[in-house]
């Protein structure tokens, strides 16, 4: 070690050369580490962005309930993020209308609906939220509910609901389509 120090003191050109090489090596290593850091940061940013989008993805579901005393069709968001409804269309394979209620027959004795929605456009649903598209529930002392229910079942069983939606990032998703054929299970094909 003593000899090295003596050589550096006696031959200053070598000391300057070693110092220059060491400085250049350290600078090169700093650039390499910076480039690696940049690549890792870009990868982490892309991964985080993908995670953020997936963590707020809506997942629509058209649910049906068909009981002896109640029938119902709802739009539900089973996803992890808010859902914005862009459009809802209801078709019977030959015609398309904007809501289920437009397909429903007049109920006997001017019986009112329990609930219905004419338009769901630009409505938003939080995760786990739902909107009633149509509901008919029997009143406590109602005698002729079965005829109202069966009229609705027959009208509903030939329909398909198509929901176009987006998320808070205005991402594009495939439309969700749901047949309401479940309401036709009481009649032979």
């Amino acid at each position: 070690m003593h000899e090295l120090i003596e050589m550096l003191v006696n031959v200053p050109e070598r000391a300057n050369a070693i110092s220059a090489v060491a400085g250049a090596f350290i600078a090169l290593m700093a650039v390499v580490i910076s480039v690696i850091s940049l690549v890792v940061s870009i990868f982490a940013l892309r991964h985080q962005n993908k995670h953020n989008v997936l963590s707020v993805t809506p997942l629509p579901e058209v649910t049906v309930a068909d009981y002896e005393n109640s029938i119902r069709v709802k739009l539900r968001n089973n996803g992890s993020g808010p859902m914005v409804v862009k459009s809802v269309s209801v078709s019977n394979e030959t015609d398309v209308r904007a809501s289920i209620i437009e397909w429903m027959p007049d109920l006997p004795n001017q019986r009112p609906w329990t609930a219905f929605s004419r338009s769901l456009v630009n409505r938003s649903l939080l995760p786990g939220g739902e909107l009633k598209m149509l509901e008919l529930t029997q009143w406590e002392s109602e005698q002729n509910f079965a005829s109202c229910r069966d009229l609705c079942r027959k009208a509903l069983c030939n329909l398909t609901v198509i929901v176009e939606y987006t998320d808070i990032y205005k991402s594009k998703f495939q439309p969700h389509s749901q047949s309401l054929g479940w309401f036709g299970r009481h009649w032979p094909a």
Side-chain angles (χ1 to χ4, degrees), residues 18-37:
I18 291 173
S19 172
V21 169
F25 178 75
I26 290 172
L28 179 64
M29 291 308 293
V31 168
V32 168
I33 289 172
S34 296
V35 168
I36 291 171
S37 296

Side-chain angles (χ1 to χ4, degrees), residues 97 100-106 113 134 151-152 155-156 159:
R97 297 181 186 167
I100 294 175
I101 194 68
E102 294 178 36
W103 289 98
M104 293 296 99
D106 291 331
W113 297 92
L134 183 78
L151 275 173
C152 293
L156 288 168
L159 300 178

